[in-house]
Amino acid sequence: MTGEAVPGPDGRLRCPWGLSTEDYVTYHDEEWGRPVHGDDALFERLCLEAFQSGLSWITILRRREGFRRAFAGFEIASVARFDEADRERLLADEGIIRNRAKIDATMANAKALAEWAPGELDGLIWSYAPDPASRPAPLTTADVPAVTAESAALSKALKKRGLRFIGPTTAYALMQACGLVDDHLKNCVSRGAR
């Protein structure tokens, strides 16, 4: 069977993708699937998942510090004040993905979120976390979905509240990355490390 947990250099079993590069080993072991809370922290993940759309996650991961510098640490209040000069600066910034639609969506999303009450983004996103008992641990990567009913509902709720560039697949990637679901394989050392 392919896509099963595989041993890493230390002999511990991991999700296969988590061993493909050194950057992924660290991300897999220390971050992916761990609970993320806080409006700004979730805004960062939401933005990075949107920028990842159509690209490899490693491309985003390797530019994350550039994104953080370019987008004021993903502080919602700061990004909400970005103007046309900031937009032009971002379009010229080689440290990020210079996609006009994604940059515009990030700026628009910050402006929308700046109107929300503190903790509202965190509360809304986490309200879509499924009951862990309802989800069996995936045995192989083929058992990991790209979209779920919860991610479709989360995407719809965020769009209804004015956010852009957040479809059901992006919403599910956000749910995986931020620990709303645990999609580490059943035999992976990081399974349940929440």
Side-chain angles (χ1 to χ4, degrees), residues 6-193:
V6 295
D10 58 4
R12 299 186 308 164
L13 295 175
R14 289 181 176 82
C15 302
W17 67 266
L19 291 169
S20 59
T21 72
E22 188 60 38
D23 294 328
Y24 271 163
V25 173
T26 302
Y27 179 70
H28 171 274
D29 288 3
E30 299 174 11
E31 189 172 347
W32 192 76
R34 309 278 173 125
V36 174
H37 285 282
D39 293 342
D40 290 339
L42 287 165
F43 175 61
E44 174 182 356
R45 300 328 189 280
L46 183 69
C47 294
L48 294 178
E49 293 296 346
F51 272 98
Q52 185 272 328
S53 181
L55 302 171
S56 164
W57 177 247
I58 196 67
T59 302
I60 304 304
L61 189 60
R62 288 181 175 157
R63 293 181 184 210
R64 183 158 57 173
E65 290 309 314
F67 275 107
R68 286 176 173 161
R69 280 189 301 277
F71 286 99
F74 289 101
E75 181 183 89
I76 294 168
S78 295
V79 180
R81 291 190 296 271
F82 280 16
D83 57 17
E84 185 59 30
D86 290 298
R87 182 176 184 263
E88 293 306 315
R89 171 185 57 80
L90 293 166
L91 287 168
D93 190 332
E94 294 182 4
I96 67 170
I97 304 301
R98 296 173 291 173
N99 179 294
R100 184 178 307 273
K102 294 175 184 182
I103 289 169
D104 288 348
T106 299
M107 291 172 59
N109 289 348
K111 286 177 181 17
L113 290 170
E115 301 297 320
W116 293 26
E120 196 171 352
L121 178 62
D122 188 299
L124 180 103
I125 287 174
W126 277 90
S127 72
Y128 289 90
D131 175 2
S134 71
R135 296 176 49 87
L139 298 176
T140 72
T141 54
D143 298 329
V144 178
V147 174
T148 63
E150 294 89 358
S151 74
L154 174 57
S155 169
K156 185 176 179 179
L158 290 169
K159 286 179 181 179
K160 186 175 181 181
R161 298 288 307 273
L163 273 64
R164 299 168 24 191
F165 232 98
I166 179 76
T169 303
T170 300
Y172 193 67
L174 174 76
M175 293 172 76
Q176 291 174 304
C178 295
L180 280 76
V181 296
D182 185 355
D183 276 344
H184 286 286
L185 300 182
K186 183 175 183 176
N187 296 324
C188 176
V189 68
S190 293
R191 176 84 190 167

